[in-house]
């Protein structure tokens, strides 16, 4: 009923708030004997960390992870792995306006409507600080699926899309936007700068590709790999849409255009001539790359005044000060990767549980 856990066999629970002393995750169901150290987890957290460029929030969090349990002499023991990240740069005074009135688009009103009481400092549990814990858990998941390579990058920001013909994998880690198109990354600097200077914010679309997923992972019907992934991605803060493969565009194609034609391969496995399905058919992986996109809304905490109501239900106006991401989609890319890893690790173990390999 409290919904702080995700996964079936490889299951994790996150805990903590934006302005508490620390946050973290407990990962249960991880197989024993896998090499795992804090140094394996830290690089993924560093990718999501705030304050690394002028295009993200200026909150300075080192996001140093500590493994508190479940690992002995650099290997997982098969017992719960507890991961902790300290919060060191909280400024609760920044949030006095959020205590009194609700930020439209944020979770403030909905949390009060449900719980009648909320930790308003930095959004409390609804803050995307929580996603640091997912990224740490995702690093553990990667140890379970070494055969899979996962990549997430931005394909659109503020309505400005990349040029697919200029797609360069090597560009993704060389600019602050996880953008595979160098010219688009240049344009996006101006878009984000303008948004921030004008007290506004912009949305983004993150694409994620997982290569090396064997045909057979996944399940039919009520646990379709599509639905597991959609659920995982929609659970990320500010995500308002998920597409798998061609997604909504598939509805505009004919049957023959949308087919992924198959030819015989050398090892008995098919060669696919297209991947409109995004690597999943019938809820089960086909062995093609898994491809999905998530749409992230613009940050709701903005300096531009917005009409709202206060806690007494009276008309009010809110300008959200404090430190915020002008485009939450940028730092969401590592979170999308983590959720992909967490779902696939779970699917691998579920597949082993039913099929035995
Ligand atoms: C990486 C990341 C960073 C975010 N940073 C902010 C932020 O600085 N300010 C803000 O208002 N929302 C931020 N958000 C979005 C809010 O957490 C989210 O909108 C809020 O919890 C309400 O949930 P919902 O948008 O999913 O409905 C961020 C989201 C992500 C994924």
């Amino acid at each position: 009923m409290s919904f702080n856990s995700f996964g079936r066999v490889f299951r994790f629970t996150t805990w903590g708030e934006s302005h508490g002393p620390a946050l973290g995750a407990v990962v249960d169901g991880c197989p024993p004997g896998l090499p795992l150290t804090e140094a394996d987890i830290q690089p993924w957290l560093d990718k999501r960390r705030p304050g690394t460029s002028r295009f993200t929030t200026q909150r300075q969090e080192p996001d140093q992870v500590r493994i508190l349990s479940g690992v002995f002499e650099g290997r997982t023991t098969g017992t719960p792995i507890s991961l902790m990240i300290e919060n060191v740069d909280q400024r609760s005074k920044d949030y006095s306006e959020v205590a009194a009135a609700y930020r439209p688009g944020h979770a403030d009103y909905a949390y009060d409507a449900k719980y009648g009481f909320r930790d308003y400092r930095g959004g409390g549990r609804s803050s995307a600080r929580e996603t640091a814990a997912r990224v740490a858990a995702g690093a553990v998941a990667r140890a379970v699926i070494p055969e899979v390579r996962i990549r997430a990058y931005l394909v659109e920001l503020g309505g400005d899309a990349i040029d697919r013909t200029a797609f360069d994998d090597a560009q993704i880690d060389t600019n602050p936007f996880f953008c595979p198109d160098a010219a688009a990354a240049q344009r996006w600097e101006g878009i984000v700068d303008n948004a921030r200077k004008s007290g506004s914010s912009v949305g983004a679309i993150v694409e994620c590709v997982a290569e090396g997923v064997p045909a057979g992972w996944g399940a039919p019907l009520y646990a379709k790999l599509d639905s597991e992934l959609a659920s995982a991605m929609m659970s990320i803060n500010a995500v308002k849409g998920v597409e798998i493969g061609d997604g909504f565009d598939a509805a505009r194609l004919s049957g023959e255009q949308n087919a992924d034609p198959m030819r015989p391969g050398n090892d008995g496995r098919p060669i696919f001539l297209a991947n409109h399905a995004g690597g999943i058919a019938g809820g089960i992986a086909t062995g093609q790359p898994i491809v999905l996109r998530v749409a992230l809304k613009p940050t709701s905490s903005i300096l531009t005044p917005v009409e709202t109501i206060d806690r007494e239900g009276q008309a009010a106006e809110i300008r959200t000060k404090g430190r915020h991401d002008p485009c939450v989609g940028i730092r969401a890319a590592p979170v999308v990767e983590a959720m992909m890893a967490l779902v696939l690790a779970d699917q691998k173990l579920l597949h082993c549980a039913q099929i035995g390999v």
Side-chain angles (χ1 to χ4, degrees):
M1 290 240 298
S2 46
F3 301 105
N4 295 296
S5 305
F6 190 88
R8 292 180 163 82
V9 180
F10 186 94
R11 187 166 172 80
F12 71 98
T13 301
T14 70
W15 53 270
E17 291 86 25
S18 174
H19 283 44
L23 50 85
V26 178
V27 179
D28 205 1
C30 183
L34 302 177
L36 186 73
T37 64
E38 288 163 0
D40 296 318
I41 302 173
Q42 197 58 51
W44 306 110
L45 283 166
D46 291 345
K47 283 180 74 173
R48 195 215 70 105
R49 199 159 63 80
T52 52
S53 81
R54 72 175 194 271
F55 307 107
T56 62
T57 170
Q58 291 309 301
R59 181 169 170 173
Q60 295 295 329
E61 288 289 351
D63 280 353
Q64 287 292 324
V65 68
R66 281 182 62 200
I67 300 176
L68 302 184
S69 68
V71 176
F72 180 62
E73 294 180 342
R75 295 167 90 83
T76 58
T77 57
T79 59
I81 300 170
S82 190
L83 306 164
M84 188 181 78
I85 299 159
E86 284 184 50
N87 288 322
V88 302
D89 188 20
Q90 310 97 316
R91 278 197 218 153
S92 299
K93 66 175 171 47
D94 282 348
Y95 292 97
S96 46
E97 73 271 23
V98 179
Y102 302 119
R103 284 168 295 177
H106 212 291
D108 305 334
Y109 170 72
Y111 267 51
D112 253 359
K114 184 173 182 70
Y115 302 108
F117 180 67
R118 82 190 141 101
D119 176 356
Y120 52 78
R121 301 164 309 160
R125 180 73 178 155
S126 74
S127 161
R129 267 306 283 153
E130 186 269 350
T131 61
R134 300 175 188 228
V135 170
V140 182
R142 287 175 197 261
V144 179
I145 49 167
E147 63 273 61
V148 179
R149 177 178 183 264
I150 299 170
R151 223 44 182 129
Y153 43 85
L154 271 71
V155 293
E156 194 173 312
L157 182 148
D160 184 48
I162 63 161
D163 173 0
R164 291 273 174 182
T165 64
F167 193 107
D168 179 1
D169 202 65
Q171 281 293 323
I172 297 170
D173 289 326
T174 64
N175 62 69
F177 303 105
F178 303 110
C179 177
D181 169 1
Q186 279 284 319
R187 296 195 302 273
W188 293 357
E189 289 193 8
I191 293 174
V192 178
D193 276 341
N194 285 342
R196 204 192 35 231
K197 280 180 202 149
S198 60
S200 185
S201 60
V202 288
I205 299 178
V206 176
E207 184 167 272
C208 186
V209 178
E211 288 170 308
V213 177
W217 290 9
L221 303 174
Y222 302 110
K224 287 171 78 177
L225 186 49
D226 324 49
S227 62
E228 300 285 297
L229 286 168
S231 162
M233 299 302 160
M234 288 297 273
S235 78
I236 300 171
N237 313 45
V239 170
K240 295 308 272 185
V242 181
E243 283 189 328
I244 301 203
D246 282 5
F248 275 63
D249 276 348
R252 300 176 192 115
L253 300 177
S254 64
E256 62 276 21
Q257 286 169 331
N258 187 55
D260 294 331
M262 297 159 77
R263 309 303 308 150
N266 292 332
D267 54 3
R269 284 184 284 191
I271 293 171
F272 290 91
L273 304 182
N275 189 15
H276 297 285
I280 306 172
I284 297 172
T286 61
Q288 294 212 77
I290 292 181
V291 184
L292 60 78
R293 277 173 301 286
V294 301
L296 290 116
K297 70 187 190 187
T299 321
S300 36
S301 302
I302 49 173
L303 276 168
T304 301
V306 184
E307 289 181 332
T308 188
I309 56 166
D310 64 19
R311 291 205 65 184
E312 283 69 48
Q314 300 302 310
E317 202 170 67
I318 190 162
R319 284 179 77 226
T320 311
K321 298 193 259 327
R323 298 162 297 173
H324 294 279
D325 286 283
C327 173
V328 302
I330 302 170
R331 291 174 54 236
V335 184
V336 169
E337 281 192 3
M339 292 310 291
M340 175 72 93
L342 287 156
V343 168
L344 293 178
D346 196 31
Q347 294 300 318
K348 178 178 181 174
L349 300 184
L350 279 164
H351 183 72
C352 290
Q354 188 185 13
I355 311 293
V357 283

